[in-house]
């Protein structure tokens, strides 16, 4: 009897995994199809939202200094799919560059208008390690900027230590090239990987972006708290800017501010928004200053 139950539950597991695999394959096919279509953007449910990045000014005032572009995909059958799920699939299918190009174009298009309101406004774009494998990657970015009449210094490129990017020695050279052209560079998701502190001194980025998990954990763990404080101070001593993501509460904010952090991003300030809502936000902030 026991054996039968064992076998049944095993069978259930098998079915479950078979279904999961099937769902995964379907999603992969849908993504492949969407990204191979030259008009994939408008027709296949891709869009870009923008999340404010704010700076703390004197007297508690805040200023939206830029936004991070985040891709969204709403598929007719699969519903809204998280980028955490489909970016790795796009990478595996060799199609992530399509996403980068789309997001970069959308970002420039809107940034051009935002800069009329706020001349120093920036957009951050997330890169994949696979972007660095394309020989003309940097050139393509520069051409798009030229088309929109924007300088590279208007763009912040977010890279992460998690994906293979920094494993390749050649990519350090490419990062330096981007930096020399004037792009701003940020190291995303810092604190969740296993990067050493000496690595911080080597990587040619302008900004260290503290991962939201790290921000979250420090509320409950004195060890993490001490680490975060040291990291912010160390980064500042290397002349790096520090921005914390995932700032959800006033407590998060106060803690980070007490550690010397002055750039923030998170639901406490704003969720990712449609481009038009960013325009409204910028206009409002500008009016308040006068
Ligand atoms: P990320 O670059 O670290 O982006 C931060 C994620 O945290 C975003 O999730 C954002 O919506 C979310 N977030 C922002 N504030 C808060 C907060 O206060 N609390 C919590 N819990 N979450 C917050 P999203 O948009 O789902 O993106 C997830 C990841 O997918 C990104 O992590 C990034 O690695 C990747 N991704 C998104 N868009 C792109 C893209 O255009 N290209 C590439 N290559 N990757 C992208
Ligand atoms: Mg990011
Ligand atoms: Mg991040
Ligand atoms: Mg993150």
């Amino acid at each position: 009897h026991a054996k039968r139950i064992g076998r049944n539950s095993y069978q259930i597991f098998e079915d479950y995994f078979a279904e999961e695999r099937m769902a995964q394959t379907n999603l992969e096919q849908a993504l492949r199809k969407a990204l191979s279509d030259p008009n994939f953007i408008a027709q296949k449910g891709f869009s870009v939202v923008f999340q404010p990045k704010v700076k703390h000014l004197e007297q508690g005032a805040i200023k939206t200094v830029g936004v991070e572009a985040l891709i969204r995909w709403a598929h007719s059958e699969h519903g809204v799919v998280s980028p955490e799920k489909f970016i790795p699939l796009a990478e595996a299918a060799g199609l992530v560059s399509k996403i980068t190009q789309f997001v970069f174009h959308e970002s420039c298009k809107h940034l051009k208008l935002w800069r009329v309101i706020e001349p120093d406004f920036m957009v951050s774009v997330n890169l994949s390690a696979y972007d660095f494998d394309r020989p003309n990657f940097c050139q393509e970015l520069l051409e798009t900027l030229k088309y929109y009449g924007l300088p590279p210094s208007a763009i912040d490129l977010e890279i992460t230590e998690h994906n293979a990017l920094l494993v390749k020695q050649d990519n350090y050279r490419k990062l330096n090239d981007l930096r020399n052209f004037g792009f701003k560079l940020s190291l995303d998701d810092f604190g969740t990987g296993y990067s050493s502190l000496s690595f911080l001194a080597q990587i040619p980025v302008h900004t260290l972006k503290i991962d939201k998990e790290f921000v979250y954990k420090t509320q409950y763990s004195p060890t993490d708290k001490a680490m975060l404080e040291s990291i912010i101070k160390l980064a500042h001593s290397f002349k790096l800017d520090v921005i914390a993501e995932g700032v959800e509460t006033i407590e998060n904010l106060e803690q980070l501010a007490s550690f010397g952090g002055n750039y923030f991003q998170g639901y406490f300030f704003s969720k990712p928004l449609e481009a038009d809502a960013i325009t409204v936000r910028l206009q409002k902030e500008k009016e308040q200053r006068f």
Side-chain angles (χ1 to χ4, degrees), residues 154-187:
I155 305 289
D156 170 58
L157 301 170
E158 294 192 7
I159 56 163
T160 103
E161 49 167 341
H162 287 300
N163 56 41
L165 202 148
L166 300 165
V167 174
K168 288 191 188 168
Q169 205 52 39
D170 203 34
N171 284 346
Y172 279 90
R173 183 183 56 74
K174 293 180 180 175
L175 278 177
N176 269 310
D177 287 348
L178 288 168
R179 193 186 161 109
N180 291 335
F181 275 114
F183 288 99
K184 296 282 180 259
L185 302 174
S186 288
L187 185 60

Side-chain angles (χ1 to χ4, degrees), residues 5 16 55 59 68 76 99 112 128 156 188-189 234-235 275:
I5 291 170
Y16 175 76
K55 182 176 186 174
Q59 278 112 30
E68 176 177 8
S76 52
I99 290 177
K112 187 74 188 162
S128 157
D156 170 58
D188 204 353
D189 300 333
L234 187 74

Side-chain angles (χ1 to χ4, degrees), residues 30-48 71-75 86 90 95-106:
L31 186 71
R32 205 180 272 274
K33 205 170 150 215
L35 292 178
S36 310
D37 183 340
N39 300 316
F40 83 92
I41 293 127
Q43 289 160 25
K44 305 292 174 176
F46 287 93
S47 63
V48 182
I71 187 129
R72 294 291 176 262
W73 186 34
H75 186 266
F86 73 81
L95 292 167
V96 79
S97 65
K98 301 258 186 185
I99 290 177
T100 307
Q101 281 164 348
F102 169 57
V103 173
F104 196 75
H105 266 274
E106 287 293 299

Side-chain angles (χ1 to χ4, degrees), residues 68 84 126 158 160 162 188-190 192 209-213 245-246:
E68 176 177 8
E84 311 244 24
N126 290 285
E158 294 192 7
T160 103
H162 287 300
D188 204 353
D189 300 333
F190 190 82
T192 52
K209 195 166 181 191
I210 310 285
D211 192 71
K212 56 178 182 280
E213 297 302 323
E245 69 171 26

